[in-house]
Amino acid sequence: MRKGKTFIICGPSGVGKGTVVARLLASNPTLYFSVSATTRPPRAGEVDGVHYHFLTKEKFREWIDADEFLEYAQFVGNFYGTPRRYVDRAMDQGRDVLLDIEIQGAEQVHAKRPEAVRIYVAPPSWAELERRLIGRGTEDMEKIRSRLERGRQEFAVAKDFDYFVINDTVNRAVDDLLAIMRSEHCRPDERIAEINRH
Ligand code: 5GP
């Protein structure tokens, strides 16, 4: 059986990754979404074990010490990390894995697993991003400013990514992402292995 591929999705806060990811999962039920661990408190409507594993700082530290994370990073005052075991299990089952992580985490995964595909989800403009982030109403102005600043720093680094997807409409972004995932499965190594299996 073929092994699944890892797709890393990065993009600034407020760009709409959550919506895009939800639509992607709905149109591709075999795709496995990696639920991250975080020390950030849950937002209204967020469910433990579904959106994140919400951990105390002490528990997060325990997971680091036990080498439970494929990667972890600090983002605007909180820790976020990808638990390794579920990702590996899904890939062994032949499922593609989606990681929604910030850029330092993406770099760590890239260093360990260079075959992972890095995709940057960009806003149509910075003004639009600010509008979306304020409209979301989940952070105060100081946090919004930190997140925007961080977004611009990440943008500069993301030019080395494999793909850029502009989220002007969710439909276009989801179409592009599905096309990328499909194309990545047409690479010679995978196709040759498939032919040789039969
Ligand atoms: P939020 O607090 O808005 O849910 O997420 C803040 C940032 O943390 C986003 O850029 C998100 O992609 C990133 N993030 C979420 N989970 C992880 C993770 O497991 N590892 C890393 N490095 N970043 C993550």
Side-chain angles (χ1 to χ4, degrees), residues 118-191:
R118 289 175 298 169
I119 307 165
Y120 186 82
V121 179
S125 69
W126 293 108
E128 171 62 13
L129 181 69
E130 191 168 346
R131 202 183 61 72
R132 287 184 194 174
L133 205 47
I134 293 170
R136 187 166 86 172
T138 49
E139 277 86 20
D140 59 34
M141 259 336 269
E142 194 192 324
K143 284 263 181 213
I144 288 176
R145 262 193 284 278
S146 308
R147 281 173 174 251
L148 282 169
E149 174 60 27
R150 180 68 180 245
R152 281 186 180 271
Q153 290 164 6
E154 291 196 352
F155 187 73
V157 180
K159 65 180 187 329
D160 296 328
F161 271 33
D162 300 297
Y163 296 98
F164 253 65
V165 167
I166 297 178
N167 188 20
D168 49 3
T169 69
V170 178
N171 277 348
R172 177 180 169 200
V174 171
D175 276 357
D176 282 357
L177 286 164
L178 288 171
I180 290 166
M181 298 176 97
R182 190 157 175 189
S183 309
E184 285 293 324
H185 281 293
C186 296
R187 292 213 176 264
D189 53 348
E190 183 177 322
R191 290 306 197 221

Side-chain angles (χ1 to χ4, degrees), residues 11 13 17 36 40 43 52 71 73 75 80-82 100-102 105 136 147:
S13 281
K17 278 174 297 172
S36 297
R40 154 168 97 54
R43 294 184 187 130
Y52 279 107
E71 61 72 35
F75 181 91
Y80 296 80
T82 304
D100 168 357
I101 61 179
E102 54 68 67
R136 187 166 86 172
R147 281 173 174 251

Side-chain angles (χ1 to χ4, degrees), residues 61-132:
R61 181 59 59 195
E62 276 176 32
W63 285 31
I64 295 174
D65 293 343
D67 198 25
E68 290 284 351
F69 290 118
L70 174 58
E71 61 72 35
Y72 68 92
Q74 240 182 320
F75 181 91
V76 193
N78 286 297
F79 283 99
Y80 296 80
T82 304
R84 182 201 314 272
R85 68 174 77 188
Y86 308 113
V87 168
D88 287 343
R89 190 177 58 194
M91 285 177 71
D92 288 343
Q93 292 168 344
R95 298 174 71 180
D96 286 342
V97 172
L98 201 61
L99 307 181
D100 168 357
I101 61 179
E102 54 68 67
I103 212 124
Q104 297 171 68
E107 295 300 282
Q108 291 174 43
V109 178
H110 178 66
K112 287 183 189 161
R113 303 184 176 185
E115 69 285 2
V117 180
R118 289 175 298 169
I119 307 165
Y120 186 82
V121 179
S125 69
W126 293 108
E128 171 62 13
L129 181 69
E130 191 168 346
R131 202 183 61 72
R132 287 184 194 174

Side-chain angles (χ1 to χ4, degrees), residues 25-67:
L25 294 171
S27 51
N28 184 356
T30 61
L31 188 59
Y32 174 78
F33 176 70
S34 162
V35 179
S36 297
T38 184
T39 58
R40 154 168 97 54
R43 294 184 187 130
E46 283 185 334
V47 178
D48 188 35
V50 175
H51 298 94
Y52 279 107
H53 301 287
F54 293 102
L55 305 186
T56 59
K57 283 211 164 70
E58 293 68 39
K59 192 83 196 161
F60 199 96
R61 181 59 59 195
E62 276 176 32
W63 285 31
I64 295 174
D65 293 343
D67 198 25

